[in-house]
Amino acid sequence: MSEPITLNVGGKLYTTSLSTLTSFPDSMLGAMFSGKIPTKKDSQGNCFIDRDGKIFRYILNFLRTSHLDLPEDFQEMGLLRREVDFYQIQPLIEALQEKEVELSKAEKNAMLNITLDQKTQTVHFTVREAPQIYSLSSSNMEVFSAHIFSTSCLFLKLLGSKLYYCFNGNLSSISSYLEDPNHLTLDWVASVEGLPEEEYTRQNLKRLWVVPDNKQINSFQVFVEEVLKIAMSDGFCIDSAHPHTSDFMNNKIIRLIRYK
């Protein structure tokens, strides 16, 4: 066996052998460690690769075993896909494609359930009328909550790619709030006429947007329409048995099913 080599991948250290790193000569790693592409060193003299260090463990294990082994609750398929594309290990690219097909088939039959809640609260804020003149004002604000459950983790990721929170002047995908792969809770407010932009940040009030349409969701009706659009494009349809028609029309419950 060749001498051990320590790699610094995005700040995470890995120790392996030269033969492992060059097991696929046409890959990026094969080119780097055969001398075709110059390598960088960190302050300790380790070979440095400016990529995701956590994901590299799956790539290195594939080099060692020729098998792509992922945990059952693996939630970073998109990041893994980008890293695999960078390293250009063709058998690993093919193994990842097979894994994605396998996951897609496992999630063909799915259920989506959304419970909605709405309330009105009063917000108080100051309005600057002149450089030295402020007045206290108040207004009623609609506050929305949606509790989403789906047996399809991939659908919740799709939903996360379409819906964004607007907070502190920035848009951020709700995917970053997806701590449970099957559950997602959204809380947002409708815009209030006359409420200064900085007050939304000061009072920790998030608004909800649909991207790339750049449409703000100011009512449950708009929210239901957008979720139905996204879900039906992914093969879901309305469950005719549940909920009761009056609940659905009153925007209390959405239950969709998918059979493929």
Side-chain angles (χ1 to χ4, degrees), residues 68-117:
L68 177 58
D69 297 310
L70 301 175
E72 291 185 3
D73 59 348
F74 185 71
Q75 299 297 316
E76 298 181 296
M77 193 64 73
L79 177 57
L80 176 60
R81 190 184 307 115
R82 287 189 291 274
E83 295 303 294
V84 168
D85 183 65
F86 171 79
Y87 292 106
Q88 283 298 300
I89 304 168
Q90 191 58 40
L92 177 54
I93 293 174
E94 295 169 2
L96 180 59
Q97 291 172 344
E98 292 176 3
K99 178 68 72 173
E100 289 181 317
V101 170
E102 177 185 324
L103 291 174
S104 177
K105 288 181 178 178
E107 288 200 332
K108 282 184 176 180
N109 295 335
M111 184 269 288
L112 170 65
N113 193 86
I114 304 177
T115 303
L116 304 171
D117 188 30

mmCIF file of all heavy atoms in Angstrom, residues 68-117:
data_model
loop_
_atom_site.group_PDB
_atom_site.id
_atom_site.type_symbol
_atom_site.label_atom_id
_atom_site.label_comp_id
_atom_site.label_asym_id
_atom_site.label_seq_id
_atom_site.Cartn_x
_atom_site.Cartn_y
_atom_site.Cartn_z
ATOM 1 N N LEU A 68 -21.853 3.349 -3.256
ATOM 2 C CA LEU A 68 -22.355 4.598 -2.694
ATOM 3 C C LEU A 68 -23.260 4.251 -1.519
ATOM 4 O O LEU A 68 -24.389 3.787 -1.700
ATOM 5 C CB LEU A 68 -23.129 5.402 -3.740
ATOM 6 C CG LEU A 68 -23.769 6.708 -3.251
ATOM 7 C CD1 LEU A 68 -22.717 7.645 -2.666
ATOM 8 C CD2 LEU A 68 -24.539 7.393 -4.374
ATOM 9 N N ASP A 69 -22.759 4.445 -0.322
ATOM 10 C CA ASP A 69 -23.502 4.125 0.901
ATOM 11 C C ASP A 69 -23.942 5.425 1.573
ATOM 12 O O ASP A 69 -23.109 6.229 1.990
ATOM 13 C CB ASP A 69 -22.637 3.316 1.860
ATOM 14 C CG ASP A 69 -22.235 1.965 1.272
ATOM 15 O OD1 ASP A 69 -23.137 1.251 0.795
ATOM 16 O OD2 ASP A 69 -21.031 1.641 1.267
ATOM 17 N N LEU A 70 -25.264 5.604 1.659
ATOM 18 C CA LEU A 70 -25.832 6.797 2.291
ATOM 19 C C LEU A 70 -26.738 6.371 3.436
ATOM 20 O O LEU A 70 -27.403 5.334 3.359
ATOM 21 C CB LEU A 70 -26.653 7.613 1.276
ATOM 22 C CG LEU A 70 -25.913 8.126 0.037
ATOM 23 C CD1 LEU A 70 -26.901 8.804 -0.906
ATOM 24 C CD2 LEU A 70 -24.809 9.084 0.427
ATOM 25 N N PRO A 71 -26.803 7.169 4.514
ATOM 26 C CA PRO A 71 -27.728 6.848 5.611
ATOM 27 C C PRO A 71 -29.179 6.949 5.148
ATOM 28 O O PRO A 71 -29.491 7.679 4.194
ATOM 29 C CB PRO A 71 -27.397 7.905 6.671
ATOM 30 C CG PRO A 71 -26.728 9.017 5.927
ATOM 31 C CD PRO A 71 -26.008 8.384 4.778
ATOM 32 N N GLU A 72 -30.069 6.234 5.814
ATOM 33 C CA GLU A 72 -31.472 6.213 5.405
ATOM 34 C C GLU A 72 -32.117 7.593 5.473
ATOM 35 O O GLU A 72 -33.017 7.903 4.686
ATOM 36 C CB GLU A 72 -32.255 5.230 6.287
ATOM 37 C CG GLU A 72 -31.887 3.764 6.033
ATOM 38 C CD GLU A 72 -32.768 2.823 6.828
ATOM 39 O OE1 GLU A 72 -33.693 3.312 7.527
ATOM 40 O OE2 GLU A 72 -32.548 1.606 6.750
ATOM 41 N N ASP A 73 -31.671 8.421 6.405
ATOM 42 C CA ASP A 73 -32.265 9.750 6.562
ATOM 43 C C ASP A 73 -31.435 10.836 5.884
ATOM 44 O O ASP A 73 -31.508 12.011 6.255
ATOM 45 C CB ASP A 73 -32.447 10.084 8.045
ATOM 46 C CG ASP A 73 -31.127 10.068 8.812
ATOM 47 O OD1 ASP A 73 -30.111 9.579 8.258
ATOM 48 O OD2 ASP A 73 -31.093 10.569 9.954
ATOM 49 N N PHE A 74 -30.645 10.472 4.877
ATOM 50 C CA PHE A 74 -29.774 11.444 4.200
ATOM 51 C C PHE A 74 -30.623 12.534 3.546
ATOM 52 O O PHE A 74 -31.557 12.242 2.786
ATOM 53 C CB PHE A 74 -28.936 10.724 3.142
ATOM 54 C CG PHE A 74 -27.922 11.619 2.470
ATOM 55 C CD1 PHE A 74 -26.811 12.071 3.158
ATOM 56 C CD2 PHE A 74 -28.075 12.007 1.149
ATOM 57 C CE1 PHE A 74 -25.874 12.894 2.553
ATOM 58 C CE2 PHE A 74 -27.147 12.822 0.532
ATOM 59 C CZ PHE A 74 -26.042 13.262 1.241
ATOM 60 N N GLN A 75 -30.293 13.806 3.835
ATOM 61 C CA GLN A 75 -31.118 14.926 3.391
ATOM 62 C C GLN A 75 -30.367 15.933 2.511
ATOM 63 O O GLN A 75 -30.874 17.023 2.275
ATOM 64 C CB GLN A 75 -31.680 15.663 4.618
ATOM 65 C CG GLN A 75 -32.567 14.814 5.501
ATOM 66 C CD GLN A 75 -33.811 14.338 4.785
ATOM 67 O OE1 GLN A 75 -34.449 15.116 4.076
ATOM 68 N NE2 GLN A 75 -34.148 13.080 4.949
ATOM 69 N N GLU A 76 -29.174 15.563 2.034
ATOM 70 C CA GLU A 76 -28.377 16.535 1.279
ATOM 71 C C GLU A 76 -28.042 16.023 -0.120
ATOM 72 O O GLU A 76 -26.923 16.152 -0.585
ATOM 73 C CB GLU A 76 -27.103 16.867 2.059
ATOM 74 C CG GLU A 76 -27.391 17.515 3.402
ATOM 75 C CD GLU A 76 -26.130 17.872 4.169
ATOM 76 O OE1 GLU A 76 -25.381 16.952 4.539
ATOM 77 O OE2 GLU A 76 -25.904 19.080 4.385
ATOM 78 N N MET A 77 -29.040 15.454 -0.779
ATOM 79 C CA MET A 77 -28.825 14.881 -2.106
ATOM 80 C C MET A 77 -28.392 15.941 -3.117
ATOM 81 O O MET A 77 -27.540 15.695 -3.963
ATOM 82 C CB MET A 77 -30.098 14.183 -2.581
ATOM 83 C CG MET A 77 -29.890 13.285 -3.796
ATOM 84 S SD MET A 77 -28.793 11.893 -3.472
ATOM 85 C CE MET A 77 -29.838 10.856 -2.460
ATOM 86 N N GLY A 78 -28.975 17.131 -3.038
ATOM 87 C CA GLY A 78 -28.596 18.193 -3.967
ATOM 88 C C GLY A 78 -27.138 18.593 -3.803
ATOM 89 O O GLY A 78 -26.420 18.780 -4.797
ATOM 90 N N LEU A 79 -26.690 18.724 -2.558
ATOM 91 C CA LEU A 79 -25.295 19.074 -2.290
ATOM 92 C C LEU A 79 -24.371 17.951 -2.746
ATOM 93 O O LEU A 79 -23.324 18.213 -3.357
ATOM 94 C CB LEU A 79 -25.105 19.340 -0.796
ATOM 95 C CG LEU A 79 -23.678 19.660 -0.319
ATOM 96 C CD1 LEU A 79 -23.117 20.860 -1.061
ATOM 97 C CD2 LEU A 79 -23.667 19.895 1.185
ATOM 98 N N LEU A 80 -24.749 16.705 -2.479
ATOM 99 C CA LEU A 80 -23.939 15.571 -2.921
ATOM 100 C C LEU A 80 -23.825 15.553 -4.441
ATOM 101 O O LEU A 80 -22.749 15.295 -4.989
ATOM 102 C CB LEU A 80 -24.548 14.262 -2.419
ATOM 103 C CG LEU A 80 -23.856 12.972 -2.883
ATOM 104 C CD1 LEU A 80 -22.400 12.933 -2.434
ATOM 105 C CD2 LEU A 80 -24.611 11.749 -2.373
ATOM 106 N N ARG A 81 -24.921 15.858 -5.122
ATOM 107 C CA ARG A 81 -24.904 15.868 -6.588
ATOM 108 C C ARG A 81 -23.905 16.893 -7.117
ATOM 109 O O ARG A 81 -23.172 16.632 -8.069
ATOM 110 C CB ARG A 81 -26.305 16.170 -7.115
ATOM 111 C CG ARG A 81 -26.478 15.968 -8.621
ATOM 112 C CD ARG A 81 -27.860 16.379 -9.078
ATOM 113 N NE ARG A 81 -28.899 15.726 -8.311
ATOM 114 C CZ ARG A 81 -29.753 16.351 -7.519
ATOM 115 N NH1 ARG A 81 -29.668 17.668 -7.353
ATOM 116 N NH2 ARG A 81 -30.682 15.684 -6.869
ATOM 117 N N ARG A 82 -23.880 18.078 -6.486
ATOM 118 C CA ARG A 82 -22.943 19.112 -6.926
ATOM 119 C C ARG A 82 -21.492 18.707 -6.665
ATOM 120 O O ARG A 82 -20.606 18.969 -7.486
ATOM 121 C CB ARG A 82 -23.260 20.439 -6.235
ATOM 122 C CG ARG A 82 -24.510 21.120 -6.752
ATOM 123 C CD ARG A 82 -24.667 22.523 -6.204
ATOM 124 N NE ARG A 82 -24.971 22.522 -4.779
ATOM 125 C CZ ARG A 82 -26.189 22.415 -4.264
ATOM 126 N NH1 ARG A 82 -27.218 22.279 -5.070
ATOM 127 N NH2 ARG A 82 -26.390 22.441 -2.958
ATOM 128 N N GLU A 83 -21.249 18.070 -5.509
ATOM 129 C CA GLU A 83 -19.884 17.644 -5.190
ATOM 130 C C GLU A 83 -19.428 16.516 -6.123
ATOM 131 O O GLU A 83 -18.286 16.503 -6.592
ATOM 132 C CB GLU A 83 -19.803 17.194 -3.731
ATOM 133 C CG GLU A 83 -20.044 18.307 -2.727
ATOM 134 C CD GLU A 83 -19.081 19.473 -2.916
ATOM 135 O OE1 GLU A 83 -17.866 19.294 -2.706
ATOM 136 O OE2 GLU A 83 -19.543 20.563 -3.301
ATOM 137 N N VAL A 84 -20.322 15.584 -6.402
ATOM 138 C CA VAL A 84 -19.996 14.483 -7.324
ATOM 139 C C VAL A 84 -19.685 15.038 -8.702
ATOM 140 O O VAL A 84 -18.755 14.583 -9.386
ATOM 141 C CB VAL A 84 -21.160 13.465 -7.376
ATOM 142 C CG1 VAL A 84 -20.980 12.496 -8.538
ATOM 143 C CG2 VAL A 84 -21.258 12.711 -6.059
ATOM 144 N N ASP A 85 -20.436 16.055 -9.123
ATOM 145 C CA ASP A 85 -20.184 16.665 -10.423
ATOM 146 C C ASP A 85 -18.807 17.321 -10.456
ATOM 147 O O ASP A 85 -18.115 17.300 -11.479
ATOM 148 C CB ASP A 85 -21.276 17.698 -10.724
ATOM 149 C CG ASP A 85 -21.109 18.327 -12.101
ATOM 150 O OD1 ASP A 85 -21.225 17.601 -13.095
ATOM 151 O OD2 ASP A 85 -20.850 19.542 -12.169
ATOM 152 N N PHE A 86 -18.379 17.905 -9.343
ATOM 153 C CA PHE A 86 -17.055 18.544 -9.295
ATOM 154 C C PHE A 86 -15.943 17.512 -9.436
ATOM 155 O O PHE A 86 -14.984 17.722 -10.194
ATOM 156 C CB PHE A 86 -16.883 19.308 -7.975
ATOM 157 C CG PHE A 86 -15.485 19.811 -7.752
ATOM 158 C CD1 PHE A 86 -15.035 20.957 -8.388
ATOM 159 C CD2 PHE A 86 -14.608 19.131 -6.913
ATOM 160 C CE1 PHE A 86 -13.735 21.423 -8.201
ATOM 161 C CE2 PHE A 86 -13.308 19.576 -6.715
ATOM 162 C CZ PHE A 86 -12.868 20.722 -7.365
ATOM 163 N N TYR A 87 -16.045 16.410 -8.710
ATOM 164 C CA TYR A 87 -14.956 15.426 -8.713
ATOM 165 C C TYR A 87 -14.940 14.560 -9.977
ATOM 166 O O TYR A 87 -13.926 13.926 -10.268
ATOM 167 C CB TYR A 87 -15.042 14.547 -7.461
ATOM 168 C CG TYR A 87 -14.732 15.305 -6.196
ATOM 169 C CD1 TYR A 87 -15.737 15.654 -5.297
ATOM 170 C CD2 TYR A 87 -13.436 15.703 -5.900
ATOM 171 C CE1 TYR A 87 -15.454 16.363 -4.137
ATOM 172 C CE2 TYR A 87 -13.138 16.414 -4.739
ATOM 173 C CZ TYR A 87 -14.153 16.737 -3.867
ATOM 174 O OH TYR A 87 -13.871 17.451 -2.718
ATOM 175 N N GLN A 88 -16.041 14.536 -10.718
ATOM 176 C CA GLN A 88 -16.096 13.861 -12.020
ATOM 177 C C GLN A 88 -15.587 12.405 -11.970
ATOM 178 O O GLN A 88 -14.752 11.983 -12.772
ATOM 179 C CB GLN A 88 -15.323 14.659 -13.066
ATOM 180 C CG GLN A 88 -16.066 15.877 -13.578
ATOM 181 C CD GLN A 88 -17.368 15.501 -14.287
ATOM 182 O OE1 GLN A 88 -17.353 14.774 -15.282
ATOM 183 N NE2 GLN A 88 -18.487 15.983 -13.766
ATOM 184 N N ILE A 89 -16.129 11.657 -11.001
ATOM 185 C CA ILE A 89 -15.857 10.219 -10.918
ATOM 186 C C ILE A 89 -17.023 9.522 -11.609
ATOM 187 O O ILE A 89 -18.114 9.400 -11.028
ATOM 188 C CB ILE A 89 -15.722 9.774 -9.446
ATOM 189 C CG1 ILE A 89 -14.632 10.608 -8.739
ATOM 190 C CG2 ILE A 89 -15.417 8.281 -9.344
ATOM 191 C CD1 ILE A 89 -14.624 10.456 -7.238
ATOM 192 N N GLN A 90 -16.851 9.121 -12.836
ATOM 193 C CA GLN A 90 -17.955 8.655 -13.660
ATOM 194 C C GLN A 90 -18.751 7.517 -13.024
ATOM 195 O O GLN A 90 -19.993 7.575 -13.005
ATOM 196 C CB GLN A 90 -17.446 8.244 -15.047
ATOM 197 C CG GLN A 90 -18.557 7.990 -16.063
ATOM 198 C CD GLN A 90 -19.453 9.209 -16.255
ATOM 199 O OE1 GLN A 90 -18.989 10.350 -16.294
ATOM 200 N NE2 GLN A 90 -20.754 8.966 -16.351
ATOM 201 N N PRO A 91 -18.121 6.473 -12.483
ATOM 202 C CA PRO A 91 -18.921 5.419 -11.835
ATOM 203 C C PRO A 91 -19.740 5.939 -10.652
ATOM 204 O O PRO A 91 -20.834 5.444 -10.385
ATOM 205 C CB PRO A 91 -17.860 4.405 -11.374
ATOM 206 C CG PRO A 91 -16.708 4.626 -12.291
ATOM 207 C CD PRO A 91 -16.688 6.100 -12.541
ATOM 208 N N LEU A 92 -19.224 6.945 -9.940
ATOM 209 C CA LEU A 92 -19.968 7.527 -8.832
ATOM 210 C C LEU A 92 -21.151 8.343 -9.359
ATOM 211 O O LEU A 92 -22.234 8.332 -8.762
ATOM 212 C CB LEU A 92 -19.052 8.409 -7.983
ATOM 213 C CG LEU A 92 -19.702 9.161 -6.818
ATOM 214 C CD1 LEU A 92 -20.469 8.216 -5.899
ATOM 215 C CD2 LEU A 92 -18.648 9.930 -6.025
ATOM 216 N N ILE A 93 -20.953 9.044 -10.455
ATOM 217 C CA ILE A 93 -22.064 9.775 -11.087
ATOM 218 C C ILE A 93 -23.188 8.816 -11.434
ATOM 219 O O ILE A 93 -24.371 9.075 -11.181
ATOM 220 C CB ILE A 93 -21.571 10.527 -12.350
ATOM 221 C CG1 ILE A 93 -20.600 11.646 -11.955
ATOM 222 C CG2 ILE A 93 -22.750 11.092 -13.142
ATOM 223 C CD1 ILE A 93 -19.949 12.339 -13.127
ATOM 224 N N GLU A 94 -22.827 7.665 -12.013
ATOM 225 C CA GLU A 94 -23.831 6.667 -12.393
ATOM 226 C C GLU A 94 -24.499 6.057 -11.162
ATOM 227 O O GLU A 94 -25.716 5.837 -11.151
ATOM 228 C CB GLU A 94 -23.172 5.580 -13.242
ATOM 229 C CG GLU A 94 -22.651 6.098 -14.581
ATOM 230 C CD GLU A 94 -21.776 5.090 -15.300
ATOM 231 O OE1 GLU A 94 -21.601 3.969 -14.765
ATOM 232 O OE2 GLU A 94 -21.277 5.408 -16.396
ATOM 233 N N ALA A 95 -23.723 5.816 -10.111
ATOM 234 C CA ALA A 95 -24.284 5.258 -8.875
ATOM 235 C C ALA A 95 -25.256 6.232 -8.228
ATOM 236 O O ALA A 95 -26.300 5.830 -7.684
ATOM 237 C CB ALA A 95 -23.161 4.905 -7.909
ATOM 238 N N LEU A 96 -24.936 7.520 -8.277
ATOM 239 C CA LEU A 96 -25.823 8.528 -7.708
ATOM 240 C C LEU A 96 -27.116 8.611 -8.499
ATOM 241 O O LEU A 96 -28.202 8.745 -7.925
ATOM 242 C CB LEU A 96 -25.120 9.888 -7.678
ATOM 243 C CG LEU A 96 -25.932 11.057 -7.106
ATOM 244 C CD1 LEU A 96 -26.358 10.773 -5.665
ATOM 245 C CD2 LEU A 96 -25.139 12.356 -7.170
ATOM 246 N N GLN A 97 -27.033 8.544 -9.809
ATOM 247 C CA GLN A 97 -28.236 8.558 -10.649
ATOM 248 C C GLN A 97 -29.135 7.371 -10.315
ATOM 249 O O GLN A 97 -30.367 7.512 -10.227
ATOM 250 C CB GLN A 97 -27.844 8.551 -12.125
ATOM 251 C CG GLN A 97 -27.192 9.845 -12.589
ATOM 252 C CD GLN A 97 -26.626 9.755 -13.996
ATOM 253 O OE1 GLN A 97 -26.437 8.666 -14.550
ATOM 254 N NE2 GLN A 97 -26.345 10.902 -14.594
ATOM 255 N N GLU A 98 -28.545 6.204 -10.134
ATOM 256 C CA GLU A 98 -29.325 5.017 -9.765
ATOM 257 C C GLU A 98 -29.981 5.197 -8.400
ATOM 258 O O GLU A 98 -31.132 4.804 -8.192
ATOM 259 C CB GLU A 98 -28.425 3.784 -9.755
ATOM 260 C CG GLU A 98 -27.924 3.371 -11.134
ATOM 261 C CD GLU A 98 -26.956 2.201 -11.065
ATOM 262 O OE1 GLU A 98 -26.740 1.692 -9.941
ATOM 263 O OE2 GLU A 98 -26.439 1.792 -12.126
ATOM 264 N N LYS A 99 -29.258 5.808 -7.458
ATOM 265 C CA LYS A 99 -29.797 6.050 -6.121
ATOM 266 C C LYS A 99 -30.979 7.010 -6.171
ATOM 267 O O LYS A 99 -31.996 6.812 -5.478
ATOM 268 C CB LYS A 99 -28.707 6.612 -5.215
ATOM 269 C CG LYS A 99 -29.152 6.956 -3.801
ATOM 270 C CD LYS A 99 -29.503 5.728 -2.989
ATOM 271 C CE LYS A 99 -28.275 4.948 -2.624
ATOM 272 N NZ LYS A 99 -28.587 3.837 -1.691
ATOM 273 N N GLU A 100 -30.890 8.043 -7.001
ATOM 274 C CA GLU A 100 -31.974 9.014 -7.110
ATOM 275 C C GLU A 100 -33.210 8.381 -7.730
ATOM 276 O O GLU A 100 -34.337 8.682 -7.341
ATOM 277 C CB GLU A 100 -31.508 10.222 -7.924
ATOM 278 C CG GLU A 100 -30.499 11.089 -7.172
ATOM 279 C CD GLU A 100 -30.049 12.293 -7.972
ATOM 280 O OE1 GLU A 100 -29.781 12.130 -9.176
ATOM 281 O OE2 GLU A 100 -29.957 13.382 -7.401
ATOM 282 N N VAL A 101 -33.021 7.508 -8.717
ATOM 283 C CA VAL A 101 -34.151 6.789 -9.309
ATOM 284 C C VAL A 101 -34.807 5.897 -8.267
ATOM 285 O O VAL A 101 -36.041 5.817 -8.165
ATOM 286 C CB VAL A 101 -33.687 5.960 -10.532
ATOM 287 C CG1 VAL A 101 -34.797 5.019 -10.994
ATOM 288 C CG2 VAL A 101 -33.271 6.872 -11.667
ATOM 289 N N GLU A 102 -33.989 5.231 -7.478
ATOM 290 C CA GLU A 102 -34.492 4.353 -6.412
ATOM 291 C C GLU A 102 -35.314 5.131 -5.395
ATOM 292 O O GLU A 102 -36.399 4.696 -4.982
ATOM 293 C CB GLU A 102 -33.295 3.683 -5.731
ATOM 294 C CG GLU A 102 -33.644 2.788 -4.562
ATOM 295 C CD GLU A 102 -32.395 2.261 -3.866
ATOM 296 O OE1 GLU A 102 -31.394 1.993 -4.555
ATOM 297 O OE2 GLU A 102 -32.428 2.136 -2.618
ATOM 298 N N LEU A 103 -34.818 6.303 -4.984
ATOM 299 C CA LEU A 103 -35.549 7.129 -4.024
ATOM 300 C C LEU A 103 -36.846 7.658 -4.622
ATOM 301 O O LEU A 103 -37.866 7.743 -3.942
ATOM 302 C CB LEU A 103 -34.662 8.296 -3.570
ATOM 303 C CG LEU A 103 -33.460 7.936 -2.704
ATOM 304 C CD1 LEU A 103 -32.593 9.161 -2.467
ATOM 305 C CD2 LEU A 103 -33.901 7.328 -1.383
ATOM 306 N N SER A 104 -36.791 8.019 -5.896
ATOM 307 C CA SER A 104 -37.985 8.530 -6.568
ATOM 308 C C SER A 104 -39.080 7.474 -6.627
ATOM 309 O O SER A 104 -40.253 7.752 -6.378
ATOM 310 C CB SER A 104 -37.627 9.006 -7.976
ATOM 311 O OG SER A 104 -38.781 9.448 -8.667
ATOM 312 N N LYS A 105 -38.708 6.238 -6.932
ATOM 313 C CA LYS A 105 -39.694 5.155 -6.995
ATOM 314 C C LYS A 105 -40.294 4.887 -5.620
ATOM 315 O O LYS A 105 -41.480 4.602 -5.494
ATOM 316 C CB LYS A 105 -39.032 3.891 -7.526
ATOM 317 C CG LYS A 105 -38.709 3.939 -9.020
ATOM 318 C CD LYS A 105 -38.073 2.642 -9.477
ATOM 319 C CE LYS A 105 -37.797 2.673 -10.989
ATOM 320 N NZ LYS A 105 -37.140 1.429 -11.453
ATOM 321 N N ALA A 106 -39.467 4.983 -4.588
ATOM 322 C CA ALA A 106 -39.952 4.720 -3.230
ATOM 323 C C ALA A 106 -40.955 5.762 -2.779
ATOM 324 O O ALA A 106 -41.764 5.512 -1.883
ATOM 325 C CB ALA A 106 -38.775 4.680 -2.266
ATOM 326 N N GLU A 107 -40.928 6.951 -3.391
ATOM 327 C CA GLU A 107 -41.808 8.036 -2.968
ATOM 328 C C GLU A 107 -42.952 8.290 -3.935
ATOM 329 O O GLU A 107 -43.616 9.310 -3.863
ATOM 330 C CB GLU A 107 -40.993 9.324 -2.797
ATOM 331 C CG GLU A 107 -40.089 9.326 -1.575
ATOM 332 C CD GLU A 107 -39.684 10.727 -1.169
ATOM 333 O OE1 GLU A 107 -39.635 11.604 -2.041
ATOM 334 O OE2 GLU A 107 -39.436 10.941 0.026
ATOM 335 N N LYS A 108 -43.200 7.373 -4.856
ATOM 336 C CA LYS A 108 -44.259 7.613 -5.839
ATOM 337 C C LYS A 108 -45.618 7.757 -5.177
ATOM 338 O O LYS A 108 -46.374 8.677 -5.475
ATOM 339 C CB LYS A 108 -44.270 6.483 -6.867
ATOM 340 C CG LYS A 108 -43.168 6.607 -7.905
ATOM 341 C CD LYS A 108 -43.263 5.530 -8.966
ATOM 342 C CE LYS A 108 -42.204 5.737 -10.052
ATOM 343 N NZ LYS A 108 -42.267 4.696 -11.093
ATOM 344 N N ASN A 109 -45.970 6.831 -4.289
ATOM 345 C CA ASN A 109 -47.226 6.941 -3.563
ATOM 346 C C ASN A 109 -46.994 7.830 -2.346
ATOM 347 O O ASN A 109 -46.094 7.577 -1.547
ATOM 348 C CB ASN A 109 -47.719 5.568 -3.120
ATOM 349 C CG ASN A 109 -48.069 4.687 -4.303
ATOM 350 O OD1 ASN A 109 -48.391 5.172 -5.382
ATOM 351 N ND2 ASN A 109 -48.004 3.381 -4.106
ATOM 352 N N ALA A 110 -47.783 8.871 -2.218
ATOM 353 C CA ALA A 110 -47.535 9.826 -1.140
ATOM 354 C C ALA A 110 -48.823 10.499 -0.704
ATOM 355 O O ALA A 110 -49.828 10.509 -1.428
ATOM 356 C CB ALA A 110 -46.522 10.878 -1.591
ATOM 357 N N MET A 111 -48.761 11.065 0.484
ATOM 358 C CA MET A 111 -49.883 11.813 1.038
ATOM 359 C C MET A 111 -49.382 13.171 1.518
ATOM 360 O O MET A 111 -48.259 13.290 2.027
ATOM 361 C CB MET A 111 -50.514 11.036 2.200
ATOM 362 C CG MET A 111 -51.762 11.680 2.781
ATOM 363 S SD MET A 111 -51.409 12.815 4.142
ATOM 364 C CE MET A 111 -50.967 11.667 5.430
ATOM 365 N N LEU A 112 -50.212 14.182 1.325
ATOM 366 C CA LEU A 112 -49.884 15.540 1.747
ATOM 367 C C LEU A 112 -51.052 16.080 2.552
ATOM 368 O O LEU A 112 -52.196 16.059 2.084
ATOM 369 C CB LEU A 112 -49.622 16.428 0.530
ATOM 370 C CG LEU A 112 -49.493 17.939 0.771
ATOM 371 C CD1 LEU A 112 -48.270 18.249 1.623
ATOM 372 C CD2 LEU A 112 -49.429 18.685 -0.554
ATOM 373 N N ASN A 113 -50.774 16.541 3.763
ATOM 374 C CA ASN A 113 -51.828 17.078 4.620
ATOM 375 C C ASN A 113 -51.387 18.430 5.167
ATOM 376 O O ASN A 113 -50.292 18.559 5.727
ATOM 377 C CB ASN A 113 -52.123 16.124 5.777
ATOM 378 C CG ASN A 113 -53.408 16.489 6.500
ATOM 379 O OD1 ASN A 113 -54.485 16.080 6.097
ATOM 380 N ND2 ASN A 113 -53.305 17.242 7.577
ATOM 381 N N ILE A 114 -52.231 19.434 4.988
ATOM 382 C CA ILE A 114 -51.918 20.790 5.453
ATOM 383 C C ILE A 114 -53.073 21.292 6.302
ATOM 384 O O ILE A 114 -54.224 21.302 5.857
ATOM 385 C CB ILE A 114 -51.667 21.754 4.277
ATOM 386 C CG1 ILE A 114 -50.562 21.213 3.365
ATOM 387 C CG2 ILE A 114 -51.304 23.140 4.794
ATOM 388 C CD1 ILE A 114 -50.301 22.070 2.153
ATOM 389 N N THR A 115 -52.763 21.706 7.517
ATOM 390 C CA THR A 115 -53.753 22.309 8.408
ATOM 391 C C THR A 115 -53.444 23.790 8.533
ATOM 392 O O THR A 115 -52.307 24.180 8.823
ATOM 393 C CB THR A 115 -53.714 21.650 9.804
ATOM 394 O OG1 THR A 115 -53.921 20.247 9.656
ATOM 395 C CG2 THR A 115 -54.801 22.223 10.691
ATOM 396 N N LEU A 116 -54.460 24.592 8.308
ATOM 397 C CA LEU A 116 -54.265 26.041 8.249
ATOM 398 C C LEU A 116 -54.927 26.742 9.426
ATOM 399 O O LEU A 116 -55.961 26.296 9.934
ATOM 400 C CB LEU A 116 -54.858 26.589 6.942
ATOM 401 C CG LEU A 116 -54.333 25.954 5.646
ATOM 402 C CD1 LEU A 116 -55.155 26.414 4.462
ATOM 403 C CD2 LEU A 116 -52.874 26.292 5.447
ATOM 404 N N ASP A 117 -54.333 27.837 9.847
ATOM 405 C CA ASP A 117 -54.893 28.631 10.935
ATOM 406 C C ASP A 117 -54.645 30.104 10.629
ATOM 407 O O ASP A 117 -53.622 30.461 10.028
ATOM 408 C CB ASP A 117 -54.255 28.245 12.271
ATOM 409 C CG ASP A 117 -54.960 28.911 13.447
ATOM 410 O OD1 ASP A 117 -56.173 29.150 13.335
ATOM 411 O OD2 ASP A 117 -54.302 29.198 14.460
#
